[in-house]
Amino acid sequence: MDVSALRDAVDQAFSTESIQVTSDQGRVMLTGVVRNKAVVDEVGKLALSYNKEVVNSLAISGRHPKQILLRVKFAEVDRTKLKQFGINIFSTGATNTLGTLSTQQFSSPGLGSGGSTGGIGGSAGSLTVSDVLNIFLFRPDLNLGITIKDLQQKNVLQVLAEPNLLAVDGQPATFHAGGEFPYPVPQSGLAGAGTITIQFKQFGVRLGFTANILSDDVIHLKVSPEVSTLDYANALTINNFVIPAISTRAAETEIELKNGQSFGIAGLLDNRTTSIMSKIPGIGDIPILGLLFRSKSVSNTNTELLVVVTPTIVDPVNQVGPEPKAPDHPLPYLGVKEFDQSIKPKQPAGEEAPK
């Protein structure tokens, strides 16, 4: 059997490895020593493309393999916009009438009876304002005022997790920060009819990766980040058990990077809109005029998941540490006549040292 074409392909793809390709009774024989298991698998796949019968006898070098340190940052960019709009109308005694109109969604001015001081207004009444909201208007001649609230808020970024994982070249590693929630599972069949068992489902921040070191310190990385949360808005109720849904954002990719380079995964969006409206019954339903007696709060939840991954090659086993430093004043060994004279005990003044 001619294996020259396979031998040339192996020499070209794995030039830094010691691999011998031979044939025996229609089978391809692979022998030699390579640096890790990933090379063994790749050479075996390449040989299978030439022949269906392959005997892979490649051995892994006895030298300790290098390791990959993966630094990952899970960040959630929160583009939430909270819009609030409300109007409070109050009177401190116009036409001998003391009162306020409010949906109670935002705090309204507090009114007192006539004659009190320390507030706004004439003798007909006083006004105590705890929250002037955004816009505050008052006409002393009419004893009539209005407060308006119109706000827009934004949030920015939150770091969910920042794990550092260390794995041997070619070996998988996983990370999970979160929890498990129980949910009931009704059993079917005659033996299990009416029986409910409990199972657990994981949620939180998860990461799985497998990295292989190629030639020239190139890292072939397969990574699968995932972020999941409990979603009670889409929950189910079974036999009086509330079972929340799981909102998941996940990705999986394979790339090649140089040692120390970083790459990011973005665009995992989660958009939700919540609108809350309050109004005064009756008068709030009047066309045009009723708009003054309504309050509305709109919350747009728009979050984006950002994952930044940085692989680094490390070799802690084969790294040579600093040599131990000898003490400045070593103690003499017992039973040895000759020792360092610099550490002999000093004699008191006026006394002669024993000979």
Side-chain angles (χ1 to χ4, degrees):
M1 179 181 177
D2 187 11
V3 293
S4 58
L6 176 59
R7 186 181 297 111
D8 295 339
V10 171
D11 292 340
Q12 183 177 3
F14 305 94
S15 58
T16 59
E17 307 293 341
S18 176
I19 302 175
Q20 292 79 39
V21 180
T22 58
S23 63
D24 183 17
Q25 298 180 358
R27 294 175 297 180
V28 174
M29 308 293 294
L30 300 176
T31 57
V33 179
V34 296
R35 65 178 182 273
N36 55 35
K37 186 178 182 299
V39 178
V40 176
D41 297 337
E42 293 296 329
V43 176
K45 293 179 182 179
L46 181 60
L48 285 174
S49 63
Y50 285 83
N51 194 356
K52 298 301 181 182
E53 295 186 13
V54 177
V55 178
N56 195 338
S57 301
L58 293 175
I60 300 176
S61 174
R63 183 179 180 271
H64 294 286
K66 294 183 178 180
Q67 302 179 41
I68 294 94
L69 174 63
L70 195 70
R71 297 183 176 92
V72 185
K73 289 185 179 180
F74 289 84
E76 191 173 46
V77 180
D78 191 356
R79 301 176 178 177
T80 299
K81 295 181 181 179
L82 180 63
K83 296 181 180 179
Q84 297 177 340
F85 181 77
I87 297 177
N88 291 325
I89 301 175
F90 59 91
S91 171
T92 59
T95 64
N96 296 324
T97 302
L98 187 70
T100 62
L101 290 176
S102 174
T103 61
Q104 298 300 321
Q105 189 173 4
F106 312 111
S107 59
S108 59
L111 301 179
S113 59
S116 63
T117 59
I120 301 175
S123 60
S126 63
L127 172 67
T128 301
V129 181
S130 60
D131 183 8
V132 297
L133 305 183
N134 292 104
I135 303 175
F136 175 81
L137 300 174
F138 182 75
R139 285 287 301 272
D141 54 339
L142 300 178
N143 290 330
L144 186 66
I146 185 173
T147 58
I148 301 176
K149 185 169 188 176
D150 189 8
L151 292 179
Q152 180 175 349
Q153 301 174 350
K154 290 184 178 181
N155 297 324
V156 185
L157 183 141
Q158 178 185 7
V159 177
L160 301 179
E162 195 171 351
N164 293 335
L165 295 180
L166 186 65
V168 176
D169 179 19
Q171 298 299 318
T174 59
F175 167 83
H176 177 220
E180 296 181 347
F181 76 95
Y183 63 95
V185 179
Q187 300 297 317
S188 61
L190 297 177
T195 304
I196 297 178
T197 61
I198 302 298
Q199 296 184 3
F200 290 86
K201 181 69 174 180
Q202 291 185 347
F203 68 95
V205 180
R206 295 175 56 87
L207 174 69
F209 84 94
T210 303
N212 296 312
I213 302 176
L214 306 180
S215 59
D216 299 331
D217 285 342
V218 175
I219 302 174
H220 180 87
L221 182 65
K222 180 180 181 180
V223 61
S224 54
E226 176 184 322
V227 174
S228 58
T229 57
L230 299 180
D231 185 6
Y232 286 92
N234 299 313
L236 297 176
T237 302
I238 301 177
N239 295 334
N240 296 325
F241 290 98
V242 178
I243 305 174
I246 296 182
S247 177
T248 304
R249 285 173 288 178
E252 184 174 350
T253 183
E254 287 189 51
I255 62 171
E256 291 187 355
L257 297 172
K258 277 286 190 179
N259 182 24
Q261 289 183 338
S262 301
F263 81 98
I265 301 174
L268 304 175
L269 302 178
D270 184 8
N271 298 321
R272 303 185 184 186
T273 301
T274 303
S275 179
I276 301 176
M277 180 176 292
S278 303
K279 65 179 180 179
I280 299 176
I283 192 172
D285 297 327
I286 299 176
I288 302 177
L289 182 62
L291 296 177
L292 299 176
F293 304 96
R294 300 177 185 175
S295 294
K296 185 177 182 181
S297 177
V298 179
S299 176
N300 295 319
T301 303
N302 183 5
T303 60
E304 179 180 359
L305 182 63
L306 176 65
V307 183
V308 180
V309 181
T310 305
T312 305
I313 300 175
V314 295
D315 194 4
V317 177
N318 297 312
Q319 184 176 2
V320 179
E323 295 183 358
K325 184 179 180 181
D328 296 334
H329 299 287
L331 294 176
Y333 291 102
L334 296 178
V336 179
K337 295 183 179 180
E338 296 181 1
F339 56 89
D340 190 358
Q341 298 295 327
S342 62
I343 61 172
K344 293 176 61 177
K346 295 182 179 180
Q347 299 298 324
E351 295 185 7
E352 184 180 358
K355 297 182 180 178

